């Protein structure tokens, strides 16, 4: 940002430049822009109702704390859910950030420990399944988020996915033409038997913007990235999209938002086919396409495996 840059709205000194909006903003008007983007997402895609009982999946990072903060600020009733993944110090510290955020604001935080309640952690699950850690981690989180939302009588499950996350997943799915995944990549998935409504109110904000929201609002968040994320292909897709964005600002938002508006409706039929094939897991009752759901199979495999320290997984990934 050039020294002396002025806020587009009030002409006071700017604190952030946002090339895709072709403007700079002071702290107050930057926050206003973020609020407007979230309200626009909520209203345009009908993400939330005023009387929704909301559960926010919280990791202790910038996005999940920002979305929780924004929803409370906008007058929604929202509790938090933190899942302890057992990824060494990273999980211990991330839990502290989530707890501190909730305690400082008098908000309710539900906690689930994978090791304490299901007898495994993510490093052990990665070793036991011989797949990248994010595979077992994503599966565990999806299952436990859905279960906690339904058990707690919540009508909406909110996640902090931002524009960078969604554009990166979209690029990955497009590169492989994963039609079923593409059909589901929406800012809102309606509730259905065994699944809560799932919404992503931050999809109009970039990760730079959610980080800036936290800094301006004085939210203390865990800056460190997950130490075992190296197998996560989305990091490469994010770098590719950032390179394109640097050449042509606004291209990332156009890629994702135009997909949702123009392409996703054409894939709606795939979403329906996918839903019709589900039945109840014999062990936990969750929706599944087989007899026993993928989560119950993961619990059986990972909890029977000798505990694996996170350092082993980190070394293995280098
Ligand atoms: S926590 Fe889990 Fe992420 Fe770490 S192991 Fe992968 S999915 S990167 S959001
Ligand atoms: Zn201003
Ligand atoms: Zn099950």
């Amino acid at each position: 940002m050039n020294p002396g840059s002025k806020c587009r709205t009030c002409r006071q000194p700017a604190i952030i430049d946002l090339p895709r909006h072709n403007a700079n903003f002071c702290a107050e008007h930057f926050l206003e822009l973020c609020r407007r983007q979230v309200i626009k997402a909520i209203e345009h895609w009908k993400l939330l109702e005023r009387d929704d009982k909301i559960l926010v999946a919280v990791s202790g990072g910038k996005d999940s704390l920002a979305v929780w903060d924004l929803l409370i600020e906008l007058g929604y009733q929202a509790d938090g859910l933190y899942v302890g993944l057992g990824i060494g110090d990273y999980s211990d510290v991330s839990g502290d950030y989530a707890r501190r955020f909730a305690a400082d604001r008098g908000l309710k935080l539900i906690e689930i420990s994978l090791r304490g309640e299901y007898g495994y952690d993510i490093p052990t699950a990665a070793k036991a399944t011989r797949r990248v850690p994010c595979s077992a981690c994503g599966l565990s989180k999806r299952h436990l988020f859905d279960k906690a939302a339904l058990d707690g009588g919540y009508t909406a499950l909110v996640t902090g996915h931002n524009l960078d996350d969604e554009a990166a997943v979209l690029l990955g799915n497009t590169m492989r033409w994963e039609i079923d995944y593409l059909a589901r990549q929406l800012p809102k998935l309606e509730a259905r038997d065994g699944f809560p409504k799932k919404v992503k109110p931050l999809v109009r904000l970039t990760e730079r913007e959610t980080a800036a929201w936290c800094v301006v609002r004085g939210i203390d968040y865990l800056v460190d990235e997950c130490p075992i994320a190296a197998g996560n292909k989305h990091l490469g897709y994010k770098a590719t999209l950032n390179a394109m964005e640097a050449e042509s600002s606004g291209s990332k938002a156009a890629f994702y938002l135009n997909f949702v508006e123009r392409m996703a409706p054409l894939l709606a039929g795939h979403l329906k086919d996918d839903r019709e094939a589900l039945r109840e897991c014999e062990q936990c009752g969750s929706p599944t396409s087989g007899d026993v759901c993928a989560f119950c199979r993961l619990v059986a495999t990972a909890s029977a495996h000798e505990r694996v320290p996170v350092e082993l997984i980190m070394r293995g990934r280098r």
Side-chain angles (χ1 to χ4, degrees), residues 1-2 5-8 12-19 21-31 33-34 206-213 215-216:
M1 191 171 68
N2 295 329
S5 297
K6 300 266 191 287
C7 171
R8 178 167 79 184
Q12 294 296 306
I15 58 145
I16 188 166
D17 63 317
L18 299 180
H21 293 286
N22 198 18
N24 308 309
F25 293 92
C26 71
E28 180 191 340
H29 291 115
F30 169 68
L31 295 183
L33 174 113
C34 293
T206 64
E207 58 188 24
R208 182 166 166 260
E209 290 156 3
T210 62
W213 171 274
V215 171
V216 175

